[in-house]
Amino acid sequence: MRRVAFALLLAAALAMFAWTLRRFLRMFLAARPESRTDQPLDRVDSVLRYFFAQKKVVEETTIPSKRWPRFVSWMGSKYHFLIFWGFIVITIGSAETLIQGLFPTFSLRLILGDTLGAVLYHMIDVFCALVLAVIVFAFFRRIVLQPRLIPMSRDAAAILSAIALLMVTYFGMHTDNPVLAEVSWWAHVVILLAFLNYLLYSKHSHIIAALPNIYFRNLGQRGVLPKLNLEADDIAATGVVQGWKDFTWKSQLDGFACTECARCTNFCPAYNTGKPLSPMQVVHDLREDLRAHMPDRGPLDTLLERFQHGDAAAAKALDPDRPLIGGRTTEEVLWACTTCGACQEVCPVFIDQPEKILQMRQNLVLVQEKVPADLARTFTNLERNGNPWGIGADKRMDWAEGLGVPTLDDRPDAEYLLWVGCAGAFDDRIKKQTQALVEVLREGGVDFAVLGLEEGCTGDPARRAGNEMLYQMQAQQNVETMNAKKVKKVVTACPHCLHTIKNEYPQLGGNFEVRHHTQLIRELVETGKIEMPVGDAPLGPKGKPKITFHDPCYLGRWNGEYDAPRAVLDALPTGRDGFAELPRNRDHGFCCGAGGGRMWMEEKIGTRVNHNRTDEILATGAETVATACPFCTIMLRDGVADRNAAERVAVLNVSELVAKSMKRKRELEGRAAEAAAAAPTRT
Ligand code: SF4
Ligand code: SF4
């Protein structure tokens, strides 16, 4: 009788679960296709590292709390690791329980033998106890510590309670009291099967979706937007995202893989400066939209949504007519993103938040024609003059006056095309960086030329601001010019130009070997083509470092280059001892606030991103903050000036620091030569 009752319960639960899975599969099949099946071994490797070893969870920087001891903060970010492994081990015990429901004589001990079986049972007991302790901590964390963004919700309470009850009933099943054991057994299997069926409708859908999401993660170049087909007659065929169906199945899966850990939001510069953007919420908005459009919607969805969020919120959430873009996710949210990639970097399940934000921006610009006024001016500048500054295109070579910089027409066989960029050509401050870079390249014997008046904006500001049409116009023109001149190698002054030409121009037929100038300068320094004097005063007054470095997001996070600028800075007279890292550095660097077209937009909400970063720089006591991006230079220069620190802190590009050191070396050599000439000679 017990077996029959259990078999019926199991069959009903599995049928229900299969029905839910089918709903999800139908939704994914209705989505845009995307190929994510290449490199299977690398994908398995990702699963081992990031799912089973929880690499990102374990390595993640703890966000310190001012209210609680460091250990509590540390536990807050690491306890998931314990829950995860506890869950894996306990699942083995739960599987045995379910099989025993059908075959009462089954036991893992029969398969593993007495010794191994005993070890396994012992481990399950230990993990059950540990998970119970961690669940108590999880309740304490949500109710007492109340971390920003991780509130105690009904859904979380239900899930945590279910896990705790599974542990308690597991112990109950193994007592010597037969009545308690029987009651616990039934309670355990009912909770287990209910939990399985509730999962995909709860925030804990990640328990099922995280593994495939990690397996199907993007193994290619990061931060490359899919190319829109602007030739298509039908808007749906262009690839512009209009709603849930226009995201790829992988983007949809992202929505269900989110663990709600809030790491992305905690590292987001927009969120940290009071903007309405939370990348976690953007992912949840997409998930909510998907739920509202799920096939076979019915009373079950309403019931669950009401249980989780209350009647009013459920009605709003499940309203299929509520638009995603500009509705569930507001325009203000979408325009606040600097596309810095900090969110994606820390996400333990490889969700691509910036791509979703940019795809929704494309909809705002290309479909809804909702463009903030300051961006509209930038678009006009790009259309009319080929640069966002709006300065006449005929002034593009003014920076090079008197320098004798050759164009590719002068030197068609030059090894490198030096891509100057609009900031380097039109902004008075950044023109000096370009001149310094030319000086350094010449000193290093680099054979280079520029496009001169034929260079146009790469289109990066337009693409990141959602204007794919303008981007493709700009980019196509550049690709045609570069291909006509048979360009092979490019060195860029700007990381945004690097990213666009290197990673996005191939979509338009432009395939070039592209390097950032710090990568080339590093090579010049390491091969001895550029020499700098060895310093004798590596530290500033009171032992403070002389130099610190601000990582540009498009060089570091998007293109993985953290070492080249640091290697060049180490070779400066200040040396390694005179250098200090900023607290938020490398992959956890904090944006300057200029990316994603934000350079051209007023920052009206909250505090300024560049002020946040500047305060961190000033706290180091460094005399110079080195940069490797013109936009960062401009933002930090403004930040330092706003903090009245321009007299004591210089904002200089790596190329300018190298040029200064070369000059110093020449001075020292000149003085030494004079001294040698003036010294009396012995006869
Ligand atoms: S890309 Fe940067 S600014 Fe945009 S959501 Fe992510 S962390 Fe925030
Ligand atoms: S998107 Fe990623 S980082 Fe953000 S809350 Fe979800 S799982 Fe965490």
Side-chain angles (χ1 to χ4, degrees), residues 332-404:
E332 266 182 351
V333 164
L334 293 173
W335 289 119
C337 177
T338 68
T339 69
C340 72
C343 49
Q344 195 188 21
E345 184 70 45
V346 295
C347 180
V349 291
F350 293 93
I351 288 171
D352 191 339
Q353 305 90 338
E355 182 181 275
K356 290 170 190 43
I357 292 171
L358 290 185
Q359 287 179 314
M360 290 198 258
R361 274 188 187 177
Q362 286 176 339
N363 179 283
L364 286 180
V365 174
L366 301 175
V367 181
Q368 302 188 38
E369 297 183 6
K370 288 179 178 164
V371 182
D374 28 21
L375 263 186
R377 271 193 300 279
T378 306
F379 292 162
T380 308
N381 289 338
L382 278 164
E383 278 161 21
R384 290 193 184 150
N385 300 295
N387 70 79
W389 267 259
I391 298 173
D394 58 331
K395 306 255 185 289
R396 194 173 268 278
M397 276 297 278
D398 284 8
W399 66 272
E401 206 176 312
L403 295 182

Coordinates of all heavy atoms in Angstrom, one line a residue, residues 332-404:
E332 N 15.0 55.5 -17.6 CA 16.1 56.1 -16.7 C 17.1 55.0 -16.3 O 18.3 55.2 -16.3 CB 15.4 56.6 -15.4 CG 15.1 58.1 -15.4 CD 14.6 58.5 -14.1 OE1 14.2 57.7 -13.2 OE2 14.4 59.7 -13.9
V333 N 16.6 53.8 -16.1 CA 17.4 52.7 -15.7 C 18.4 52.4 -16.9 O 19.6 52.2 -16.8 CB 16.6 51.4 -15.4 CG1 17.4 50.2 -15.4 CG2 15.9 51.6 -14.0
L334 N 17.8 52.3 -18.1 CA 18.6 51.9 -19.3 C 19.6 52.9 -19.6 O 20.7 52.6 -20.0 CB 17.6 51.7 -20.5 CG 16.7 50.5 -20.3 CD1 15.7 50.4 -21.4 CD2 17.5 49.2 -20.2
W335 N 19.3 54.2 -19.4 CA 20.3 55.2 -19.8 C 21.4 55.4 -18.7 O 22.4 56.1 -18.9 CB 19.7 56.6 -20.1 CG 18.9 56.6 -21.3 CD1 17.5 56.8 -21.5 CD2 19.4 56.3 -22.6 NE1 17.2 56.6 -22.8 CE2 18.3 56.3 -23.5 CE3 20.7 56.0 -23.2 CZ2 18.4 56.1 -24.9 CZ3 20.8 55.8 -24.5 CH2 19.7 55.9 -25.4
A336 N 21.2 54.8 -17.5 CA 22.2 55.0 -16.5 C 23.5 54.2 -16.6 O 24.5 54.4 -16.0 CB 21.6 54.7 -15.1
C337 N 23.4 53.2 -17.5 CA 24.6 52.2 -17.6 C 25.8 52.8 -18.3 O 25.6 53.4 -19.4 CB 24.1 51.0 -18.3 SG 25.3 49.7 -18.6
T338 N 26.9 52.6 -17.7 CA 28.2 53.1 -18.4 C 28.8 52.0 -19.2 O 29.9 52.1 -19.7 CB 29.2 53.6 -17.3 OG1 29.6 52.4 -16.6 CG2 28.6 54.6 -16.4
T339 N 28.2 50.8 -19.3 CA 28.7 49.6 -20.0 C 30.1 49.2 -19.5 O 30.9 48.7 -20.2 CB 28.7 49.8 -21.5 OG1 29.7 50.8 -21.9 CG2 27.4 50.2 -22.0
C340 N 30.3 49.4 -18.2 CA 31.6 49.1 -17.6 C 31.9 47.6 -17.5 O 33.1 47.2 -17.4 CB 31.8 49.8 -16.2 SG 30.8 49.0 -15.0
G341 N 30.9 46.8 -17.4 CA 31.1 45.3 -17.4 C 31.4 44.8 -16.0 O 31.6 43.6 -15.8
A342 N 31.3 45.7 -14.9 CA 31.6 45.2 -13.6 C 30.6 44.1 -13.2 O 30.9 43.2 -12.5 CB 31.6 46.3 -12.6
C343 N 29.3 44.3 -13.6 CA 28.3 43.3 -13.2 C 28.6 42.0 -13.8 O 28.5 41.0 -13.1 CB 26.9 43.9 -13.7 SG 26.9 44.4 -15.4
Q344 N 28.9 41.9 -15.1 CA 29.1 40.7 -15.7 C 30.4 40.0 -15.1 O 30.4 38.8 -15.0 CB 29.4 40.9 -17.2 CG 29.3 39.7 -18.1 CD 29.7 40.0 -19.5 OE1 30.4 40.9 -19.8 NE2 29.3 39.1 -20.4
E345 N 31.3 40.8 -14.8 CA 32.6 40.2 -14.3 C 32.3 39.4 -13.0 O 33.0 38.4 -12.8 CB 33.5 41.4 -13.9 CG 34.9 41.0 -13.5 CD 35.7 40.3 -14.6 OE1 35.7 40.9 -15.7 OE2 36.4 39.3 -14.3
V346 N 31.5 39.9 -12.1 CA 31.3 39.2 -10.8 C 30.2 38.2 -10.8 O 30.1 37.5 -9.8 CB 31.1 40.3 -9.7 CG1 32.3 41.1 -9.5 CG2 29.8 41.1 -9.9
C347 N 29.4 38.1 -11.9 CA 28.3 37.2 -11.8 C 28.7 35.8 -11.8 O 29.4 35.3 -12.6 CB 27.4 37.5 -13.1 SG 25.9 36.4 -13.0
P348 N 28.3 35.0 -10.7 CA 28.8 33.7 -10.6 C 28.2 32.7 -11.6 O 28.7 31.6 -11.8 CB 28.3 33.3 -9.2 CG 27.2 34.2 -8.9 CD 27.4 35.5 -9.6
V349 N 27.2 33.1 -12.3 CA 26.6 32.2 -13.3 C 26.7 32.8 -14.8 O 25.9 32.4 -15.6 CB 25.1 31.8 -13.0 CG1 25.1 31.0 -11.7 CG2 24.3 33.1 -12.7
F350 N 27.5 33.8 -15.0 CA 27.8 34.3 -16.3 C 26.6 34.9 -17.0 O 26.4 34.6 -18.2 CB 28.5 33.2 -17.2 CG 29.9 32.8 -16.6 CD1 30.0 31.8 -15.8 CD2 31.0 33.6 -17.0 CE1 31.3 31.4 -15.3 CE2 32.2 33.2 -16.5 CZ 32.4 32.2 -15.7
I351 N 25.9 35.7 -16.3 CA 24.8 36.4 -16.9 C 25.4 37.7 -17.6 O 26.2 38.3 -17.1 CB 23.7 36.7 -15.9 CG1 23.0 35.5 -15.5 CG2 22.7 37.8 -16.4 CD1 22.1 35.6 -14.3
D352 N 24.9 37.9 -18.8 CA 25.4 39.1 -19.6 C 24.4 40.2 -19.4 O 23.5 40.4 -20.2 CB 25.6 38.7 -21.0 CG 26.3 39.7 -21.8 OD1 26.3 40.9 -21.4 OD2 26.9 39.4 -22.9
Q353 N 24.6 41.0 -18.4 CA 23.6 42.1 -18.1 C 23.8 43.3 -19.1 O 22.8 43.8 -19.6 CB 23.8 42.7 -16.7 CG 23.6 41.6 -15.6 CD 24.9 41.0 -15.2 OE1 25.9 41.0 -16.0 NE2 25.0 40.4 -14.0
P354 N 25.1 43.7 -19.4 CA 25.2 44.9 -20.3 C 24.6 44.7 -21.7 O 24.1 45.6 -22.2 CB 26.8 45.1 -20.4 CG 27.3 44.4 -19.2 CD 26.4 43.3 -18.9
E355 N 24.8 43.5 -22.2 CA 24.2 43.3 -23.5 C 22.7 43.5 -23.5 O 22.1 44.1 -24.5 CB 24.5 41.8 -24.0 CG 24.0 41.6 -25.4 CD 24.3 40.2 -25.9 OE1 25.4 40.0 -26.4 OE2 23.4 39.3 -25.8
K356 N 22.0 43.0 -22.5 CA 20.6 43.2 -22.4 C 20.2 44.7 -22.4 O 19.3 45.1 -23.0 CB 20.0 42.4 -21.2 CG 20.1 40.9 -21.4 CD 19.7 40.3 -20.1 CE 20.0 38.8 -20.1 NZ 21.3 38.4 -20.7
I357 N 21.0 45.4 -21.6 CA 20.7 46.8 -21.4 C 20.9 47.5 -22.8 O 20.1 48.3 -23.2 CB 21.6 47.4 -20.3 CG1 21.2 46.9 -18.9 CG2 21.6 48.9 -20.3 CD1 22.2 47.2 -17.8
L358 N 22.0 47.2 -23.4 CA 22.3 47.8 -24.7 C 21.2 47.4 -25.8 O 20.8 48.3 -26.6 CB 23.7 47.5 -25.2 CG 24.8 48.2 -24.4 CD1 26.1 47.9 -25.0 CD2 24.6 49.7 -24.3
Q359 N 20.8 46.2 -25.7 CA 19.7 45.8 -26.7 C 18.4 46.5 -26.5 O 17.7 46.9 -27.4 CB 19.5 44.3 -26.6 CG 20.7 43.5 -27.3 CD 20.5 42.0 -27.2 OE1 20.1 41.5 -26.1 NE2 20.8 41.3 -28.3
M360 N 18.2 46.8 -25.2 CA 16.9 47.5 -24.9 C 17.1 49.0 -25.3 O 16.2 49.7 -25.7 CB 16.6 47.4 -23.4 CG 16.1 45.9 -23.1 SD 15.1 45.8 -21.6 CE 16.3 45.1 -20.5
R361 N 18.3 49.5 -25.1 CA 18.6 50.9 -25.6 C 18.4 51.0 -27.1 O 17.8 52.0 -27.6 CB 20.1 51.3 -25.3 CG 20.3 51.8 -23.9 CD 21.7 52.4 -23.9 NE 22.0 52.7 -22.5 CZ 23.2 53.2 -22.1 NH1 24.2 53.3 -23.0 NH2 23.5 53.5 -20.9
Q362 N 18.8 50.0 -27.8 CA 18.6 50.0 -29.3 C 17.1 50.2 -29.6 O 16.7 50.9 -30.5 CB 19.1 48.7 -29.9 CG 20.6 48.6 -30.0 CD 21.1 47.3 -30.5 OE1 20.4 46.3 -30.5 NE2 22.4 47.3 -31.0
N363 N 16.3 49.5 -28.8 CA 14.8 49.6 -29.0 C 14.4 51.0 -28.7 O 13.6 51.6 -29.5 CB 14.1 48.6 -28.1 CG 12.6 48.7 -28.3 OD1 12.0 49.6 -27.8 ND2 12.0 47.8 -29.0
L364 N 14.9 51.6 -27.6 CA 14.5 53.0 -27.3 C 14.8 53.9 -28.5 O 14.0 54.8 -28.9 CB 15.2 53.5 -26.0 CG 14.7 52.9 -24.7 CD1 15.5 53.5 -23.6 CD2 13.2 53.2 -24.5
V365 N 16.0 53.8 -29.0 CA 16.5 54.7 -30.1 C 15.9 54.4 -31.4 O 15.4 55.3 -32.1 CB 18.0 54.7 -30.1 CG1 18.6 55.5 -31.3 CG2 18.6 55.1 -28.8
L366 N 15.9 53.1 -31.8 CA 15.6 52.8 -33.2 C 14.1 52.6 -33.4 O 13.6 52.8 -34.5 CB 16.3 51.6 -33.7 CG 17.9 51.7 -33.6 CD1 18.5 50.3 -34.0 CD2 18.4 52.7 -34.6
V367 N 13.4 52.1 -32.4 CA 12.0 51.8 -32.5 C 11.1 52.9 -31.9 O 10.3 53.5 -32.5 CB 11.6 50.4 -31.9 CG1 10.2 50.1 -32.1 CG2 12.5 49.3 -32.6
Q368 N 11.4 53.2 -30.6 CA 10.5 54.1 -29.9 C 11.0 55.6 -30.2 O 10.3 56.5 -29.8 CB 10.6 53.9 -28.4 CG 10.1 52.4 -28.0 CD 9.9 52.3 -26.5 OE1 9.5 53.2 -25.8 NE2 10.3 51.1 -26.0
E369 N 12.2 55.8 -30.7 CA 12.7 57.1 -31.0 C 12.7 58.0 -29.8 O 12.4 59.2 -29.8 CB 12.0 57.8 -32.2 CG 12.1 57.0 -33.5 CD 11.4 57.6 -34.6 OE1 10.9 58.7 -34.5 OE2 11.4 57.0 -35.7
K370 N 13.1 57.4 -28.7 CA 13.2 58.1 -27.4 C 14.7 58.3 -27.1 O 15.4 57.4 -26.6 CB 12.6 57.4 -26.3 CG 11.0 57.4 -26.4 CD 10.4 56.6 -25.3 CE 8.9 56.7 -25.3 NZ 8.3 55.6 -24.5
V371 N 15.2 59.5 -27.4 CA 16.7 59.7 -27.2 C 16.8 60.9 -26.3 O 16.3 62.0 -26.6 CB 17.4 60.0 -28.6 CG1 18.9 60.2 -28.4 CG2 17.1 58.9 -29.5
P372 N 17.6 60.8 -25.2 CA 17.8 62.0 -24.4 C 18.4 63.2 -25.2 O 19.2 62.9 -26.1 CB 18.8 61.5 -23.3 CG 18.6 60.1 -23.3 CD 18.2 59.7 -24.7
A373 N 18.0 64.4 -24.9 CA 18.4 65.6 -25.7 C 19.9 65.7 -25.9 O 20.4 66.0 -27.0 CB 17.8 66.8 -25.1
D374 N 20.7 65.4 -24.8 CA 22.1 65.6 -24.9 C 22.7 64.5 -25.9 O 23.7 64.8 -26.6 CB 22.8 65.5 -23.6 CG 22.1 64.7 -22.5 OD1 21.3 63.9 -22.9 OD2 22.4 64.9 -21.3
L375 N 22.1 63.3 -25.9 CA 22.6 62.3 -26.8 C 22.2 62.6 -28.2 O 23.0 62.4 -29.2 CB 22.0 60.9 -26.4 CG 22.9 60.0 -25.6 CD1 22.2 58.7 -25.4 CD2 24.3 59.9 -26.2
A376 N 21.0 63.2 -28.4 CA 20.6 63.6 -29.7 C 21.6 64.5 -30.3 O 21.9 64.5 -31.5 CB 19.2 64.2 -29.6
R377 N 22.1 65.5 -29.5 CA 23.1 66.4 -30.0 C 24.3 65.7 -30.5 O 24.9 66.0 -31.5 CB 23.4 67.4 -28.9 CG 22.5 68.7 -28.9 CD 23.1 69.8 -28.1 NE 23.3 69.4 -26.7 CZ 22.3 69.4 -25.8 NH1 21.1 69.7 -26.1 NH2 22.6 69.0 -24.5
T378 N 24.7 64.7 -29.7 CA 25.9 63.9 -30.0 C 25.7 63.2 -31.3 O 26.6 63.1 -32.2 CB 26.2 62.9 -28.9 OG1 26.3 63.6 -27.7 CG2 27.6 62.2 -29.1
F379 N 24.5 62.6 -31.5 CA 24.3 61.9 -32.8 C 24.4 62.9 -33.9 O 24.9 62.5 -35.0 CB 22.9 61.3 -32.7 CG 22.7 60.1 -31.7 CD1 21.5 59.7 -31.3 CD2 23.8 59.4 -31.2 CE1 21.3 58.6 -30.4 CE2 23.7 58.4 -30.3 CZ 22.4 58.0 -29.9
T380 N 23.8 64.1 -33.8 CA 23.9 65.0 -34.8 C 25.4 65.4 -35.1 O 25.8 65.5 -36.3 CB 23.1 66.3 -34.4 OG1 21.8 65.9 -34.0 CG2 23.0 67.3 -35.6
N381 N 26.1 65.6 -34.1 CA 27.6 65.9 -34.3 C 28.3 64.8 -35.1 O 29.1 65.1 -36.0 CB 28.3 66.0 -32.9 CG 27.9 67.3 -32.2 OD1 27.4 68.3 -32.9 ND2 28.0 67.3 -30.9
L382 N 27.9 63.6 -34.7 CA 28.5 62.4 -35.4 C 28.1 62.4 -36.9 O 29.0 62.2 -37.8 CB 28.1 61.1 -34.8 CG 28.9 60.7 -33.5 CD1 28.2 59.6 -32.7 CD2 30.3 60.2 -33.9
E383 N 26.8 62.6 -37.2 CA 26.3 62.6 -38.5 C 27.0 63.7 -39.4 O 27.4 63.5 -40.5 CB 24.8 62.8 -38.6 CG 24.0 61.6 -38.3 CD 22.6 61.9 -37.8 OE1 22.1 63.0 -38.1 OE2 22.0 61.0 -37.2
R384 N 27.1 64.9 -38.8 CA 27.6 66.1 -39.6 C 29.1 66.1 -39.7 O 29.6 66.5 -40.7 CB 27.1 67.4 -38.9 CG 25.6 67.5 -39.1 CD 25.2 68.9 -38.7 NE 23.7 69.0 -38.8 CZ 23.0 69.8 -38.0 NH1 23.6 70.7 -37.2 NH2 21.7 69.9 -38.1
N385 N 29.8 65.8 -38.6 CA 31.2 66.0 -38.6 C 32.1 64.8 -38.4 O 33.3 64.8 -38.3 CB 31.6 67.0 -37.5 CG 30.9 68.4 -37.7 OD1 31.2 69.1 -38.6 ND2 30.0 68.7 -36.7
G386 N 31.4 63.6 -38.2 CA 32.1 62.4 -38.0 C 32.9 62.3 -36.7 O 33.8 61.5 -36.5
N387 N 32.5 63.2 -35.7 CA 33.0 63.1 -34.3 C 32.0 63.6 -33.3 O 31.2 64.5 -33.7 CB 34.3 63.8 -34.2 CG 34.2 65.4 -34.3 OD1 33.8 66.0 -33.3 ND2 34.4 65.9 -35.5
P388 N 32.0 63.1 -32.1 CA 31.0 63.5 -31.1 C 31.2 64.9 -30.6 O 30.3 65.5 -30.0 CB 31.1 62.5 -30.0 CG 32.4 61.7 -30.2 CD 32.8 62.0 -31.6
W389 N 32.4 65.5 -30.8 CA 32.6 66.8 -30.3 C 31.9 67.9 -31.2 O 31.7 69.0 -30.8 CB 34.1 67.1 -30.4 CG 34.8 66.9 -29.1 CD1 35.2 67.8 -28.1 CD2 35.2 65.6 -28.5 NE1 35.8 67.1 -27.0 CE2 35.8 65.8 -27.3 CE3 35.1 64.3 -29.0 CZ2 36.3 64.8 -26.5 CZ3 35.6 63.3 -28.2 CH2 36.2 63.5 -27.0
G390 N 31.6 67.5 -32.4 CA 30.9 68.5 -33.3 C 31.9 69.5 -33.9 O 31.4 70.5 -34.5
I391 N 33.2 69.3 -33.8 CA 34.1 70.2 -34.4 C 34.3 69.8 -35.9 O 34.3 68.6 -36.2 CB 35.5 70.1 -33.6 CG1 35.2 70.5 -32.2 CG2 36.5 71.0 -34.3 CD1 36.4 70.4 -31.3
G392 N 34.6 70.8 -36.7 CA 34.7 70.5 -38.2 C 35.7 69.4 -38.5 O 36.8 69.3 -37.9
A393 N 35.3 68.5 -39.3 CA 36.1 67.3 -39.7 C 37.4 67.8 -40.3 O 38.5 67.1 -40.1 CB 35.4 66.4 -40.7
D394 N 37.5 69.0 -40.8 CA 38.7 69.5 -41.4 C 39.8 69.8 -40.4 O 40.9 70.1 -40.7 CB 38.4 70.7 -42.3 CG 37.8 71.8 -41.6 OD1 37.0 71.5 -40.6 OD2 38.0 73.0 -42.0
K395 N 39.3 69.8 -39.1 CA 40.3 70.2 -38.0 C 40.9 68.9 -37.4 O 41.6 69.0 -36.4 CB 39.6 70.9 -36.9 CG 38.8 72.1 -37.4 CD 39.6 73.4 -37.0 CE 38.8 74.7 -37.3 NZ 38.7 75.0 -38.7
R396 N 40.6 67.7 -38.0 CA 41.1 66.5 -37.3 C 42.6 66.3 -37.2 O 43.1 65.6 -36.4 CB 40.5 65.3 -38.1 CG 40.6 64.0 -37.4 CD 39.8 62.9 -38.0 NE 38.5 62.7 -37.6 CZ 38.1 62.0 -36.5 NH1 39.0 61.5 -35.7 NH2 36.9 61.9 -36.2
M397 N 43.3 67.0 -38.1 CA 44.8 66.9 -38.0 C 45.5 68.1 -37.3 O 46.7 68.2 -37.3 CB 45.4 66.7 -39.4 CG 45.3 65.2 -39.9 SD 46.3 64.1 -38.9 CE 47.9 64.4 -39.6
D398 N 44.7 69.0 -36.7 CA 45.3 70.2 -36.1 C 46.3 69.8 -35.0 O 47.3 70.5 -34.8 CB 44.2 71.1 -35.5 CG 43.5 71.9 -36.6 OD1 43.7 71.6 -37.8 OD2 42.6 72.8 -36.3
W399 N 46.0 68.7 -34.3 CA 46.9 68.3 -33.2 C 48.3 68.0 -33.7 O 49.2 68.1 -32.9 CB 46.3 67.0 -32.5 CG 46.4 65.8 -33.4 CD1 45.4 65.4 -34.3 CD2 47.4 64.9 -33.6 NE1 45.8 64.3 -35.0 CE2 47.0 63.9 -34.6 CE3 48.7 64.7 -33.0 CZ2 47.8 62.9 -35.0 CZ3 49.5 63.7 -33.4 CH2 49.1 62.8 -34.4
A400 N 48.4 67.7 -35.0 CA 49.7 67.2 -35.5 C 50.5 68.4 -36.2 O 51.6 68.1 -36.7 CB 49.5 66.1 -36.5
E401 N 50.0 69.6 -36.0 CA 50.6 70.7 -36.7 C 52.1 70.8 -36.3 O 52.4 70.8 -35.1 CB 49.9 72.0 -36.4 CG 50.0 73.0 -37.5 CD 49.2 74.2 -37.2 OE1 48.0 74.1 -36.9 OE2 49.8 75.3 -37.3
G402 N 53.0 70.9 -37.3 CA 54.4 71.1 -37.0 C 55.1 69.8 -36.6 O 56.3 69.8 -36.3
L403 N 54.4 68.7 -36.4 CA 55.0 67.4 -36.0 C 55.5 66.5 -37.1 O 56.2 65.6 -36.9 CB 54.1 66.6 -35.1 CG 53.6 67.3 -33.7 CD1 52.7 66.3 -33.0 CD2 54.9 67.6 -32.9
G404 N 55.0 66.9 -38.3 CA 55.4 66.0 -39.4 C 55.0 64.6 -39.4 O 55.7 63.7 -39.8

